[in-house]
Amino acid sequence: MNVQRHVPAVYHQIADLLREEVIRGVYPAGEPLPSERELRERYTVSLTTIRRAVAILREEGLITSRRGAPSTVRERPTRSTVVMGRGSKLTCRMPTTTERFAMGIDRGVPLVEVRDRSGRVEVFLADRVEVLNPEGLASAATKVMDVA
């Protein structure tokens, strides 16, 4: 029997390495990542590979990048607590492009919608809230949303 093992693409491997460095604090919040040129030299890969790796971190919400400026590690925002009411439903989704621009949301940050029994919907940035269910359901029903 021939079992094939999936090997992640090089850009995924580089993204994994950079992510670990961000998590360990090698690149603290508010600080830039090394330049594309420096990363290219460090990993001896093409510029396209580095850009793909950095794009993964941007889509995950770990970094921000703007044309002409270095990619920077995102600050972790302070979280507030949202308590769901009895009979409320929670939905997570990615924002539309229009919502991202209107709300000033970085790429990679999902939205949390809490719909109460009357149908009223409140929308929160997932990296800024902790959602609690007061009905005492199993601990798996209450999670801290940590996307960054």
Side-chain angles (χ1 to χ4, degrees):
M1 178 198 262
N2 184 7
V3 177
Q4 291 185 331
R5 210 178 78 143
H6 174 72
V7 177
V10 172
Y11 65 93
H12 282 283
Q13 294 174 34
I14 293 171
D16 291 344
L17 293 169
L18 290 171
R19 183 184 311 101
E20 284 302 315
E21 289 178 329
V22 168
I23 290 168
R24 284 195 336 262
V26 173
Y27 307 113
E31 295 296 317
L33 289 179
S35 70
E36 290 177 343
R37 184 177 70 51
E38 291 169 319
L39 292 171
R40 220 175 72 222
E41 290 172 4
R42 178 193 302 177
Y43 297 112
T44 60
V45 295
S46 71
L47 181 58
T48 300
T49 299
I50 292 302
R51 287 182 174 165
R52 284 177 152 182
V54 169
I56 289 170
L57 301 182
R58 184 176 47 251
E59 292 301 320
E60 291 175 357
L62 286 177
I63 64 169
T64 60
S65 55
R66 308 234 182 313
R67 180 168 281 213
S71 295
T72 304
V73 177
R74 282 187 69 233
E75 298 281 342
R76 288 188 174 246
T78 304
R79 293 181 186 274
S80 59
T81 301
V82 174
V83 179
M84 292 176 50
R86 184 175 288 268
S88 294
K89 293 185 179 182
L90 181 135
T91 303
C92 297
R93 65 175 177 83
M94 296 307 291
T96 65
T97 301
T98 303
E99 288 172 321
R100 264 193 342 96
F101 286 112
M103 299 171 76
I105 305 170
D106 286 326
R107 289 178 186 240
V109 178
L111 297 177
V112 174
E113 293 181 346
V114 178
R115 181 180 306 273
D116 67 17
R117 287 193 296 195
S118 72
R120 185 176 61 96
V121 177
E122 288 187 83
V123 178
F124 305 93
L125 303 182
D127 66 343
R128 296 186 186 164
V129 295
E130 178 178 278
V131 180
L132 300 177
N133 183 338
E135 295 180 12
L137 298 175
S139 61
T142 303
K143 296 192 183 295
V144 174
M145 307 227 179
D146 194 3
V147 295

